[in-house]
Amino acid sequence: MTAAAKVVIVGSGIIGASTALACQDLGAEVIVVDQGPLGGVASANSFGWINASFAETQAYFDLRNAALESFRTLGQRLELQAHVSWPGTLWWEDAGQDFEAQFASLTARGYGARRLDHDEIAALEPNLRACPAHALFTPMEGAAQAQSVAQSLLAHVARRGGQLCPEREVTAVRSSPGAGHIVQTNAGDLPCDFVILATGAAACRGLAGVEWALPMANKRGMILQTRPVQTRIHHILMTPDVHFRQNPDGSLVAGEIFSGDLDPSEDASALADTVIARICQKLRGQPDVQLAEVKLGERPVPLDGLPVVGSVPGAPGVFLAVMHSGVTLGPLIGQLLAQEILQGSPSPLLSSFRASRFAQA
Ligand SMILES: Cc1cc2nc3c(=O)[nH]c(=O)nc-3n(C[C@H](O)[C@H](O)[C@H](O)COP(=O)(O)OP(=O)(O)OC[C@H]3O[C@@H](n4cnc5c(N)ncnc54)[C@H](O)[C@@H]3O)c2cc1C
């Protein structure tokens, strides 16, 4: 009997956790190391919209679209319903030509978006004070509390014998030809066969021993969490000046600019008040919407905005998985990367997302 491959995953956010679970599913012995608490950084500060509605290229759409099904399957398998829901999205962020272009693009891609009129929207969202004339309805989309999902996946990994190492910083990766790798940490060395870097926004800083760092253009974002609100909304709502959704406990999760960059000089507390006021304006009655938490996060964004998944140039046995929309993509990326590393079967879905596109530039 051959020994199980040993994989060290650096980073315990949704990408690291999903990848650890998938590697373990394929028989690997896994160790997850994080310099902070388990569950990730961007993953803890995310809006958590699971969607394929916005994809600059067909390859990116195909990846995201496939990811929806992976997330659903994983959610059912691990009974993640406390942290993941599939309410669908009502989108009217843009109007006029931009709205029509978005509808045409989704329709051409066979995504199943429906164009709803005012009365149809009002029927779906009776607590909206002023419904728009039109919205796009994408019923297949969902939302996740990504940190909780990551923690649930990691708990499952641990129950099956995986090793979790929070509060332990990886300081270097050393390779010796034919003898695997040594992952150096501030609490000792971890020998392994493969290393997976799922370090999110920190990937731009590179790692000693890996002579290549991903060029990145990380962006700041702000997400609000409110206390539970009695007024119910039933979908993920993407409006021109705020996007928000409701967790199963009634709390609202909201943001102002989707995937944009928050100006560092912006007064976060004032912006949070503005976002809350915009939500109140949109809901019937006088809902008591109280702020519970303002989260300022960094979006991990590779320089061209697209995911980077696969082997690190010039570092055999070392792999990277860094992306924005990592909540949407996490479960699928974990599976594809595990298959590539442990079964030698790279997926065509990943062929446009290799790090080599930067290495060649
Ligand atoms: C405001 C905001 C809104 C977003 N909205 C959405 C959305 O609606 N839908 C969507 O799909 N995506 C969204 N995203 C993006 C999504 O949250 C991220 O793509 C995803 O969480 C990335 O997960 P990750 O596991 O790669 O990174 P993280 O969750 O950041 O995890 C990386 C981990 O690596 C650890 N680490 C780093 N360096 C080291 C080291 N040297 N040693 C040990 N550990 C290390 C960190 O401590 C961290 O825990 C949003 C992001 C933000 C910030």
Side-chain angles (χ1 to χ4, degrees), residues 13-15 34-35 40-43 46 48-49 170 299 323 325-326 328:
I14 187 114
I15 301 294
D34 200 300
Q35 64 192 7
V41 176
S43 303
S46 184
W49 184 22
V170 171
R299 307 170 190 275
M323 67 213 70
S325 290
T328 300

Side-chain angles (χ1 to χ4, degrees), residues 173 175 181 194-195 197 209-212 310-320:
V173 174
S175 312
H181 302 272
F194 302 107
V195 185
L197 304 176
V210 180
E211 303 308 325
W212 187 81
S311 61
V312 173
V318 182
F319 296 81
L320 188 68

